[in-house]
Amino acid sequence: MFRGFEEYCGRLEGPLCLCGLSLGGVLALRYAMEHPARVSSMVLVGTQYAMPSGLLRFQNAVFHLMPDRAFPRDGFGKQGFIALSRSMMYLDLEPRLREVRCPVLVVCGERDRANRSAALQLSGKLPHAEIAFVPKAGHEVNTEAPKALAGLLTGFWGGPGASAGL
C-alpha cells in the first residue's frame, strides 16, 4: 500500500501538504520520513506511530468473521482489509519521528480514547508539532465534526478567514 501512495505522490508537483486520517496519517508520516524534501507540512488525524499489535490481531479476527458483503465492493474487499491489517501489525515509526522536519498538526477527537495517548506522545516526539483536540468528536473527526476540522486545517494552512476556532 505504501509503495502505491509513494508512486502517486511522486507524480504530484511538490512540495506537498499532506493530511491523513488514521492509516492515511501513517502513510503521510512514512512518506515524510522517506521524502523529507517533498513534504512542506502535515496534518495527522487519529494517527498511531506504533501499531497496537494486540488490537490489530483482534481486528483481524473480527474481519475473518464478517461476511464479504460488509466490506466495500469498490476498492478493498475483505481479503484486502485482512492483508493490510496483517502487514501493519508490527509497524513502528517511533525511531524515525525526529527526522520529520516539517510543521505538523496532530489532531485527535476528544472522544477518541484509542488514539488520545498516541496523539499526545506523537506531538511530543515530532520536532515541529502542535496538537489540537476536537470537542465532541471520536476517531472519524472528518465526519463527526467537519466544520471544526475545516477550521483547524484553515488555521494551520492559512486561507480565507484563517483561524483555528472550534
Side-chain angles (χ1 to χ4, degrees), residues 73-86:
R73 299 228 185 272
D74 54 345
F76 261 19
K78 179 177 179 173
Q79 293 309 312
F81 274 99
I82 290 169
L84 176 62
S85 182
R86 191 177 310 118

Side-chain angles (χ1 to χ4, degrees), residues 62-125:
V62 171
F63 286 163
H64 279 291
L65 297 173
M66 292 171 62
D68 289 342
R69 70 179 181 279
F71 294 86
R73 299 228 185 272
D74 54 345
F76 261 19
K78 179 177 179 173
Q79 293 309 312
F81 274 99
I82 290 169
L84 176 62
S85 182
R86 191 177 310 118
S87 75
M88 299 289 294
M89 226 171 269
Y90 301 102
L91 181 68
D92 184 1
L93 300 175
E94 183 173 10
R96 297 189 61 196
L97 290 176
R98 291 270 170 222
E99 296 174 26
V100 177
R101 295 324 232 178
C102 65
V104 179
L105 176 62
V106 177
V107 178
C108 187
E110 76 175 3
R111 293 182 181 162
D112 186 358
R113 292 190 178 114
N115 292 298
R116 183 178 184 80
S117 177
L120 287 165
Q121 292 172 24
L122 182 59
S123 67
K125 292 175 186 286

Side-chain angles (χ1 to χ4, degrees), residues 7-156:
E7 289 172 17
Y8 172 78
C9 288
R11 291 190 299 267
L12 300 173
E13 206 173 303
L16 304 174
C17 299
L18 300 176
C19 180
L21 166 70
S22 197
L23 174 58
V26 173
L27 292 172
L29 191 54
R30 181 153 175 225
Y31 187 82
M33 291 171 177
E34 299 293 328
H35 306 279
R38 299 259 312 133
V39 181
S40 63
S41 62
M42 285 189 296
V43 176
L44 305 173
V45 184
T47 300
Q48 295 275 340
Y49 59 90
M51 298 300 109
S53 58
L55 179 61
L56 287 173
R57 274 195 292 279
F58 174 73
Q59 184 180 37
N60 232 6
V62 171
F63 286 163
H64 279 291
L65 297 173
M66 292 171 62
D68 289 342
R69 70 179 181 279
F71 294 86
R73 299 228 185 272
D74 54 345
F76 261 19
K78 179 177 179 173
Q79 293 309 312
F81 274 99
I82 290 169
L84 176 62
S85 182
R86 191 177 310 118
S87 75
M88 299 289 294
M89 226 171 269
Y90 301 102
L91 181 68
D92 184 1
L93 300 175
E94 183 173 10
R96 297 189 61 196
L97 290 176
R98 291 270 170 222
E99 296 174 26
V100 177
R101 295 324 232 178
C102 65
V104 179
L105 176 62
V106 177
V107 178
C108 187
E110 76 175 3
R111 293 182 181 162
D112 186 358
R113 292 190 178 114
N115 292 298
R116 183 178 184 80
S117 177
L120 287 165
Q121 292 172 24
L122 182 59
S123 67
K125 292 175 186 286
L126 291 168
H128 306 286
E130 57 185 275
I131 190 165
F133 288 96
V134 179
K136 300 177 186 168
H139 183 59
E140 294 181 19
V141 174
N142 58 321
T143 59
E144 296 171 25
K147 288 182 181 178
L149 180 58
L152 288 170
L153 295 174
T154 301
F156 184 67

